[in-house]
Each structure stands twice: as structure tokens, then as C-alpha cells.
Amino acid sequence: MANLISTKRSIGISFATQYVELTIHFLAVLALARILSPDDIGTYSVAAFLMTLLHVFRDFGVVQYVIQERDLTAEKIRSAMGVAIILALMVAAALFFSSGMIARFYDNPAIEKILIIMSASFAISPLGSLLIGILRREMKMQEIFYIKTASAICHVAVALSLAVNGFGAISLAWANFAGILSFGVVANLLRPKDIPWLPRFKNIRTVLSFGGIASLGNAANIAGINLPDLVIGKIMNMAAVGYFSRATGLVQLFTRLITSALLPLVLPYFAQLRREEKDLAAPYLSAVEQLTALAWPFFAGLMLLAYPMVRTLYGSQWDASVPIVELLCLAGAISTISLFAAQVMVANGQVRDSTYSHLLALPFRIGAIFMAAPYGLMGIAIALIVSECIVLVIVSWFLHKTIRVSPLSLVSACRKSAFVTICSSVAPFAVKTFWEGDLSRPWLPLLLGIVGAAIGWIASMLLIRHPLMGHLLPLLQLLTPKNRAKHRQHKHTYSVKSVIKHLAYHCGLLDAYHRFRNRKQLTVVMFHRVLPASDPRYAGADPEWTMAPESFAHCLAFFQKHYHVVSPEQVFSALNGEATLPGRSLLITFDDGWADTAQYAQPVLEKFSMLALIFVAGSAINQESPFWEEHVYSFLATDPNGASKLSGFLQESGIHLAIPVQSEMNEKSIKAIVRQLGEIDQTKREAVTSALTAFENALPAMLDTRQLAQLVASSHTIGGHGMTHQPLTKVADLNKELKAAQETISAYLNKRSVDAMSFPHGAYSGTVVAQCRSAGFQYLFSSSAHLNNVTAKLDVNNPVGRIHISERAILNGVGRFQPAQLATWLFMRPLNKLKQTSELQNG
């Protein structure tokens, strides 16, 4: 179930990536179609094909290799990196030195300039290409989302700014360079922690062996797809290339909308099935069944609505593309059946068969295109339909050979999709046949056709119970008023500020800021209670100071990613000037001495191999009840009549406080009562609180000697937190309080001295600091939320600051951990900025 949820989440993020990227590029295409001429588009298309073809040999199957490799070690990654760098530089050099010859072949000087810029794009492409393969292997689609989105924005911004300023076709080349550069930069900002940085230029034969075969197949496939642009550019003219390219781009909308989001997941998914030794035939047929249910209705609708679509999107200057679009839709529908075939064969370890299928199909494509070229653009489009039929036959034979998928099973998988296509085509066919309205408003028939097609598609899918509806029904149900209202109850509202934080974190900006600004700082984090909701004590725990074990684990994983987590002893040595802490160091601390620190927090710490400094109040050890503040809070939070009972106890004791009697006490009102009780005489308060029977007493609240020994045995360090947990600025006899804390805790630790102290409630002064040091507490920790510069020896008047982490500050409205929130909570704290030493702080 967990794998299914993870896969669906990856698909969702992949679609989001593709749609955001597509939207950015599509809006740019609409703008560029009105800025650049067909000649400009055609010129760039010819050069772009050459770059796409060479890109295969630059990549040389490296990305596919790292995805399908069963045991991907650091050395194999370094070797793959070496192959990527060598080949990228070789291809860049080849493109640079051949640019003049290619330009003369097409008698177009602009092509030379474009290819020179593209050669620079090749040279920098290894910055991100290998990383994207590793991220795809691990299904880390969220990181890929931010990388591709940033690259698309940069690409489009450069293209539009240069095109507007009259740079013509070359503006697209510079845009491509900017997109690749930003792709690499952002990919490295989000680089996984364990990925090596340095390449290896030895033992690369395995990568080359795999890549050589894979690259031949990929190159053959790309050549077959893009060959028409080269032929048209030589036999006809660049304007014809522009018309054909624009038609191809429109037909490829389905690829950009659907398959481009799925393809990055297909190879990792089927490779994982193979690693689990599962049969690939049934999953492949299911993929074809669901893909054609989307693709065939799309191509049918586009074919019938080609004219209003081209007019609406690109304008009247591109009318010559309409008949080409209509024919290419047939070719696209046929190619959909075998779209995933090559990926499945590679995932099954049969890369040679995948390559052979492409190489066998290539001559048929080339022959058909050259034979049809004298008959113009329409002839080439018809030739592509014929060649796709031949390719389908060849690929079907290889599928039967490799994963035992028969041609009849493919036909059977597409039966329901054919029915859905017919039903969804009724409205577009009616619009094409009977529309006689104002053709100056092509968007109107287009809108009618799309709406009618959508209605027909949904109705037919429901009628025949197509398997794809099992994935779509939850979304459709969400659109009903009842379910939409229910969804809103659990929906977290994002402010502009939170969205900015989210983007800044996930695109790596916050981490880069943290790595630079906090490189010499020690961050000390402060926790109190770790309790699951199933524990009886959870109901009465103060939520401000309580965290679920799952949230605590998320925090530790975050620390592991962004910090060097250090032990208390390392910090003590650094504060003495005896050692140096690593950059961005972090220390974990706990306050008070709660039993749940040993019961729930320690196992999570052990899982991450992290040590903590645990501050314990001397009187808390072996104490069943919590401190009086938490005791009152628990009583009022769990007893429906708690306020009225407390009011009665106060009256019996002759204490007059304004206690609000409510049917249900909330956190704010309970804390207001606690503050009032804190102002009365200690003896009277103890008499009142001892009469309260809190739900907390169902289990011991504080550490016992066995749990304390357990923490010590696990190498955690025990510090002091006062004796009575009173603010040290308010105790009657400070020296007695501190001496008692030192002696009591030391006795439980087999006479070992207690060197560290955190101030109860965060309250301290210059006098408190001096007295603590006199009592033997050498290392003092406050609750001042700042970072600490530990490059110099400890300042006697400057206790170490700590940052409290509240669970409510790092979860969203539906209880999901938000790393961006924790990042801003910690990364941007002031440096060594102390509060007034006389100020009381909660902690």
C-alpha cells in the first residue's frame, strides 16, 4: 500500500511538473509565434534537430544506465559522471567545428551562429543531466519539479526578451543555453547529500557498453521523428519547415500534456518490477489500455478541430499547417500503442532488442519520407502514417519476443479505448460538419467541440467502466459540492508568505543562504515532550511543548540533511577552546526530565545515531506527577468540569482568582489560569494543586532512576535544570537551589559531576550566571532563540542560546510536516543576540 501511495504521489508530482513546464513554454510559444516569422522558426528547427540528435550521444545512455543499474554504487556514479563529461565535450567540439559546413549545406548563415551557441550548451549540460537520472531512479519527483520549473522560467525569459529586441532565430538558441545552465545550477542546489562530486575516468567500460547500444537506439528513434524537418529544409524552404514544425508541435501537445509526465516514471517503475522479479506483460498492457483511452480521443478531437485550434492559438499566418495537423494526428494515434515499448525492454535488461527495433524501423521511415518529399508537406505527412504502421508491426514483434506480449493482446487492450474515442468524437465531428458561424471567432467552435468531447469521453468511460476511471473517480467526486465542502474542512490555507518560504526552500535558496550565513554557527535546538496521540498522557499535555514521535523523526531527518549534528561533549570541548566544531553544527537538547524522553524520544534518536543533552530538574527524578503548571494544565484539559472544581478548591482555601467557568476549556484560557496561580503564595498553590486529580497521573510523568540510567547507558549527557524547576531569578535561596540540584543529580549519576545547566523557564541574570558557575555548572544554556558563534572560547557572561521547536510551527493544517517552515524557523535566527538578562522567558 505504501508503494502504491508513493507511486501515485510521484505520478501526481510528475504531472504537475509537466503541466507547469508546459504552461510556461506554451505561453511563450503563443507569444513567439506572433514575434518570430516562419523562416525564423524553421531555421531554428533545423539546428535544434541536429542538437537533439547529438544530445543522444552526449548523454550516451548515462541517464538510462543509472536508472536501471541494480547496484548503483558511488564508484559507478563517478564513472557515469566521467563518461557524461567526456562525451559532452566531444560532442560540443564536433558541433562547433561542423557548424560552418552545416550552414553552407543549407545556405543559411544564421544556422552557424545557432550551432555555435548550442555547442556551448552541450559543454555545460553535464552539470545537471546525471543528477536528474539519479533523482528519477529514486522517484524524487518533487526535486525534479523545482529544477524543471526554474529552467523553464529562465528559458522563456531569455527567449522573449531577445525576440522582442529583434534577435530572431538566435534568441531561441540563447534561451536554450540559459535553460540548460539554470537546470544545472538548481539541480546542484538540490543535489542529494551522498552523491559524489568528482568524476572518475577509469573503469568506464560498463557505462560505455550499455550507453553505446542505448544511444544507437535513441538516435535512430530521434532521427526517424525529426528527419522530416531536415528533408523539408533542404528540398523546400525554411518557411515550409516552420509550417511543418508548428503542426508537429501542436500534435505533440499530448506528449507534453500526458506522456512526458509519465515517461520519466516508466523506466524506473518497470525496472523496479524487474528487480522484484515480477512479470512485465500485464503491467505493460494495462499501461497501453489506459494511455490509449486518453491519447486516441485527444488525437481524434484535434484532427476534427484542427482549423479553429490553429487559428485560435497561432493566428491566420499559420493556416497552411491545418491539413498537416489533421494527418499527423493519425500518425500520433498509431504511435501511442508502442510508446512505452522501448522503456519496458530497457527495464527488462534487453537494451539490445530495444535498439534493434529502432534500427529496423529507421530505414522504413527514411525511405517513406524521401519517396514522399516531391509531393510536398501533405505527402510527407502521409508517409509518416505509413511508417508508423510499419514501426508498430516491428515493435510488436520485439515485444512478443522480450516480454511475451502478443499482437492480439495489444488489440484487446485497445478495444475499450476505441469505443471511448468514437463517443468523444461525436461533438467535434458535428462542429466540423455543421458549423457555419463567424469564422473570425474561431475560439467559439473550438470551445463547443472541446466541451462536447469532454462530456462524451466521461460518459463513455463511465458506461464501459474503463480501468482508468478507477484513478479519476476520486477527483470527480471531489468536484461535487458535498465532497468539496468536506475537503475544505481539511484544506490548509497558504498565505503568500508561506508560499514564498516553500519555494525558497525547495529551490535551494534557503539552504544556500544557510550554508553561507551559518557556516560558523552552532544551532542548539530545544525539545520538551515527545508523545504519540495513543499515549494516555497526550490528552493532558501542553501542545506548545509536545511533539509526536513522527514529527520528531522528521526534525531529525531535517537536521541530518542540513546540519552536522554534534554530541554534547563536542560542544563542551569547543566552548573550552579545545576543539573546533564542523560548519553548521547542531546540538539537540531536552528540558525538564520527562519520562517520555526515555520512552519515545530515545528510540528515534538511536535510529538516527544522534546524541542529546538532557536537562533534568533534581526534584523531578522518580516523581509520578508533573510540575505544578503541567499538572494544572492536564487537569483542566481532561476534566470537563475542571474549571468549576478548581474554583471550588480556591474558595475553600480563601484564594480569590477570576477563573472562567466554560463548558470546554481551550489552551488560551487554561494558560491564563496557570499564570494567575503562578502569582499566589507557593504554599497555598501547592495545597490547591495537590487536590487536583489529573488524567496525567494514569502513567508516571517524570523520569525514574531506571530510565535515567538507560539514557546514560546510551551515551546521552545529563545536565541540570534547577532543583525545583522554579525560575532561578525568583527562588528564595539561589545557592541552596543550585547546590541541591548539583548534589541530587550527581548522586543519581554515581557521583559524576553535572557540568551543564539550562535555566528553568529561561529566566536568568548576571547573578544567576555567576552562582551557577560557582556551583560547578560550567556550560550554561538559555532559552534565548539565537545562533551561537563558537569560533572563540566561551564568554562567561554569554550563555549558549537555544531555539525551541514547536510542532505547530512545522506542520500544515492537515498535520503534514513542512520542511520549509522548519528551515525558516531555524536558518534565519539572529546571531548571538541576547535578550535582557533580567527578562523571564518560557522554556
Side-chain angles (χ1 to χ4, degrees):
M1 179 61 73
N3 289 336
L4 177 61
I5 294 172
S6 177
T7 300
K8 287 188 174 182
R9 182 174 184 270
S10 296
I11 292 174
I13 296 175
S14 185
F15 270 96
T17 303
Q18 186 60 27
Y19 290 152
V20 170
E21 188 179 18
L22 174 63
T23 301
I24 294 169
H25 282 295
F26 187 68
L27 293 175
V29 166
L30 296 184
L32 291 170
R34 288 161 171 79
I35 300 172
L36 301 178
S37 66
D39 281 336
D40 291 330
I41 300 294
T43 300
Y44 180 76
S45 296
V46 170
F49 162 70
L50 294 171
M51 180 177 178
T52 304
L53 184 61
L54 289 173
H55 174 82
V56 174
F57 294 100
R58 188 275 303 166
D59 180 75
F60 211 72
V62 171
V63 172
Q64 290 176 300
Y65 168 77
V66 298
I67 293 174
Q68 64 84 46
E69 176 61 30
R70 282 179 180 266
D71 181 25
L72 188 64
T73 63
E75 284 303 305
K76 289 179 180 179
I77 293 175
R78 292 180 65 194
S79 297
M81 197 183 306
V83 170
I85 292 172
I86 291 172
L87 293 174
L89 294 177
M90 289 176 60
V91 171
L95 194 61
F96 178 83
F97 290 112
S98 64
S99 58
M101 181 184 66
I102 296 170
R104 287 191 294 273
F105 177 80
Y106 283 99
D107 194 23
N108 191 330
I111 291 180
E112 181 176 6
K113 297 178 181 179
I114 293 173
L115 292 178
I116 290 174
I117 297 170
M118 287 182 170
S119 67
S121 301
F122 271 110
I124 64 173
S125 60
L127 275 173
S129 59
L130 185 66
L131 289 175
I132 209 73
I134 294 171
L135 292 173
R136 282 178 55 193
R137 174 189 174 92
E138 301 299 328
M139 291 286 201
K140 293 184 176 179
M141 306 311 298
Q142 190 166 345
E143 285 83 350
I144 294 174
F145 171 84
Y146 293 110
I147 294 169
K148 289 193 171 185
T149 301
S151 176
I153 292 172
C154 190
H155 181 113
V156 167
V158 172
L160 290 175
S161 59
L162 293 180
V164 168
N165 286 282
F167 281 80
I170 204 168
S171 60
L172 300 177
W174 279 117
N176 181 70
F177 177 85
I180 291 176
L181 178 61
S182 58
F183 186 97
V185 170
V186 178
N188 279 278
L189 288 174
L190 300 178
R191 187 186 190 94
K193 188 178 180 180
D194 56 344
I195 301 302
W197 284 89
L198 296 178
R200 183 182 180 89
F201 298 101
K202 295 180 180 179
N203 301 324
I204 58 178
R205 181 176 299 177
T206 302
V207 183
L208 290 172
S209 175
F210 177 91
I213 299 170
S215 296
L216 283 175
N218 292 339
N221 186 46
I222 291 172
I225 293 172
N226 294 278
L227 187 63
D229 286 347
L230 289 182
V231 174
I232 295 168
K234 182 60 180 175
I235 296 178
M236 301 179 197
N237 53 56
M238 291 301 165
V241 176
Y243 289 126
F244 195 89
S245 176
R246 184 60 66 220
T248 303
L250 192 57
V251 174
Q252 288 177 346
L253 269 179
F254 180 80
T255 299
R256 295 171 184 171
L257 285 168
I258 305 296
T259 56
S260 290
L262 293 175
L263 279 174
L265 303 172
V266 172
L267 181 55
Y269 171 70
F270 281 100
Q272 181 61 35
L273 290 179
R274 183 206 176 198
R275 288 192 286 268
E276 296 172 358
E277 299 182 354
K278 294 181 179 178
D279 179 57
L280 300 185
Y284 177 77
L285 290 172
S286 176
V288 171
E289 181 179 33
Q290 298 187 46
L291 182 64
T292 52
L294 293 170
W296 286 6
F298 174 89
F299 287 122
L302 180 58
M303 182 176 65
L304 294 169
L305 300 171
Y307 176 78
M309 179 71 80
V310 170
R311 268 295 182 98
T312 300
L313 295 181
Y314 304 129
S316 59
Q317 65 172 327
W318 297 96
D319 282 354
S321 298
V322 172
I324 307 170
V325 171
E326 294 173 338
L327 291 173
L328 291 182
C329 282
L330 288 174
I334 297 168
S335 68
T336 303
I337 304 173
S338 59
L339 191 64
F340 295 152
Q343 305 277 342
V344 173
M345 285 187 273
V346 171
N348 201 39
Q350 294 157 315
V351 64
R352 291 181 182 275
D353 289 310
S354 173
T355 299
Y356 293 155
S357 68
H358 290 308
L359 291 176
L360 282 175
L362 184 59
F364 292 101
R365 278 179 170 155
I366 294 174
I369 290 169
F370 275 101
M371 290 175 62
Y375 299 96
L377 298 180
M378 297 289 288
I380 290 178
I382 293 172
L384 288 176
I385 296 173
V386 175
S387 65
E388 286 299 339
C389 292
I390 297 172
V391 168
L392 179 59
V393 172
I394 294 172
V395 170
S396 297
W397 185 84
F398 275 97
L399 282 173
H400 181 62
K401 173 188 173 185
T402 54
I403 62 171
R404 303 303 176 190
V405 171
S406 67
L408 284 178
S409 63
L410 276 176
V411 172
S412 177
C414 297
R415 285 183 306 166
K416 291 184 177 180
S417 299
F419 176 78
V420 171
T421 302
I422 293 171
C423 293
S424 63
S425 299
V426 172
F429 179 79
V431 169
K432 179 179 175 64
T433 305
F434 302 109
W435 179 264
E436 295 181 356
D438 184 5
L439 294 179
S440 65
R441 294 186 295 173
W443 59 268
L444 188 54
L446 177 63
L447 180 61
L448 290 174
I450 291 175
V451 171
I455 294 172
W457 184 82
I458 293 173
S460 58
M461 292 283 282
L462 291 172
L463 180 65
I464 63 174
R465 298 180 181 179
H466 197 283
L468 182 61
M469 289 307 292
H471 302 288
L472 298 180
L473 274 176
L475 177 61
L476 295 175
Q477 291 170 354
L478 185 60
L479 298 178
T480 64
K482 179 180 178 181
N483 288 291
R484 192 163 61 238
K486 185 184 297 183
H487 177 68
R488 285 199 195 103
Q489 294 174 6
H490 303 285
K491 186 178 179 181
H492 180 57
T493 302
Y494 291 96
S495 65
V496 174
K497 186 176 180 181
S498 66
V499 170
I500 292 173
K501 288 180 183 179
H502 189 78
L503 292 175
Y505 174 78
H506 287 288
C507 73
L509 290 178
L510 272 180
D511 185 52
Y513 169 82
H514 166 62
R515 287 173 180 270
F516 174 76
R517 186 244 195 183
N518 301 330
R519 64 193 183 281
K520 296 181 180 180
Q521 306 302 320
L522 165 67
T523 301
V524 183
V525 293
M526 173 173 53
F527 296 97
H528 288 74
R529 308 198 68 176
V530 175
L531 279 171
S534 58
D535 190 287
R537 294 166 291 190
Y538 182 85
D542 187 341
E544 176 62 26
W545 311 103
T546 307
M547 181 174 288
E550 296 80 10
S551 298
F552 183 57
H554 282 307
C555 289
L556 298 192
F558 179 91
F559 301 156
Q560 194 174 64
K561 179 177 180 180
H562 296 288
Y563 292 91
H564 292 98
V565 180
V566 294
S567 69
E569 296 302 324
Q570 286 177 278
V571 173
F572 297 162
S573 296
L575 293 175
N576 285 335
E578 299 170 355
T580 302
L581 289 175
R584 295 173 285 108
S585 53
L586 179 139
L587 174 66
I588 300 167
T589 70
F590 281 84
D591 270 6
D592 299 343
W594 297 98
D596 47 74
T597 302
Q599 186 175 356
Y600 295 112
Q602 183 190 346
V604 182
L605 287 164
E606 288 183 352
K607 179 181 177 181
F608 285 87
S609 301
M610 295 178 182
L611 298 176
L613 174 54
I614 301 167
F615 296 109
V616 179
S619 63
I621 302 172
N622 289 325
Q623 181 176 304
E624 292 279 330
S625 299
F627 304 118
W628 76 263
E629 296 95 337
E630 285 75 15
H631 187 81
V632 173
Y633 189 98
S634 179
F635 175 75
L636 295 175
T638 57
D639 191 327
N641 301 312
S644 59
K645 290 179 181 179
L646 176 60
S647 182
F649 290 141
L650 290 171
Q651 289 179 9
E652 291 174 6
S653 303
I655 302 172
H656 302 286
L657 293 180
I659 303 297
V661 179
Q662 302 175 3
S663 58
E664 185 177 347
M665 300 292 290
N666 57 38
E667 180 184 345
K668 183 178 179 181
S669 59
I670 293 175
K671 288 187 174 180
I673 294 172
V674 171
R675 282 194 297 271
Q676 291 186 67
L677 288 172
E679 300 297 325
I680 68 175
D681 179 74
Q682 181 180 348
T683 304
K684 292 184 177 180
R685 181 178 63 238
E686 290 176 352
V688 172
T689 56
S690 63
L692 306 180
T693 303
F695 193 60
E696 186 82 51
N697 290 334
L699 291 172
M702 313 309 292
L703 287 169
D704 57 28
T705 51
R706 178 189 59 81
Q707 291 172 323
L708 190 67
Q710 170 189 322
L711 291 170
V712 173
S714 298
S715 300
H716 299 290
T717 301
I718 305 300
H721 196 50
M723 182 64 191
T724 61
H725 197 245
Q726 296 182 70
L728 296 181
T729 53
K730 290 188 174 183
V731 294
D733 189 334
L734 179 59
N735 184 55
K736 180 180 178 182
E737 171 83 7
L738 295 172
K739 185 178 180 180
Q742 177 69 250
E743 292 177 352
T744 302
I745 301 172
S746 177
Y748 286 117
L749 300 178
N750 296 321
K751 303 300 183 181
R752 186 187 309 169
S753 64
V754 182
D755 298 325
M757 162 76 82
S758 71
F759 306 122
H761 301 273
Y764 69 99
S765 64
T767 301
V768 169
V769 170
Q771 290 281 359
C772 285
R773 297 200 189 284
S774 298
F777 296 106
Q778 186 178 357
Y779 311 111
L780 303 181
F781 292 78
S782 71
S783 298
S784 300
H786 63 77
L787 307 181
N788 308 277
N789 190 318
V790 291
T791 56
K793 191 174 179 180
L794 176 69
D795 180 356
V796 70
N797 295 314
N798 192 2
V800 178
R802 297 185 301 160
I803 304 170
H804 159 59
I805 298 179
S806 171
E807 185 178 53
R808 61 183 59 175
I810 60 174
L811 301 183
N812 65 11
V814 293
R816 181 173 295 174
F817 174 68
Q818 298 295 297
Q821 295 295 105
L822 183 54
T824 52
W825 187 261
L826 294 178
F827 293 172
M828 307 179 78
R829 291 290 173 171
L831 309 178
N832 292 325
K833 182 180 178 182
L834 290 173
K835 304 280 187 180
Q836 292 294 325
T837 56
S838 60
E839 178 181 339
L840 290 180
Q841 301 165 55
N842 289 328

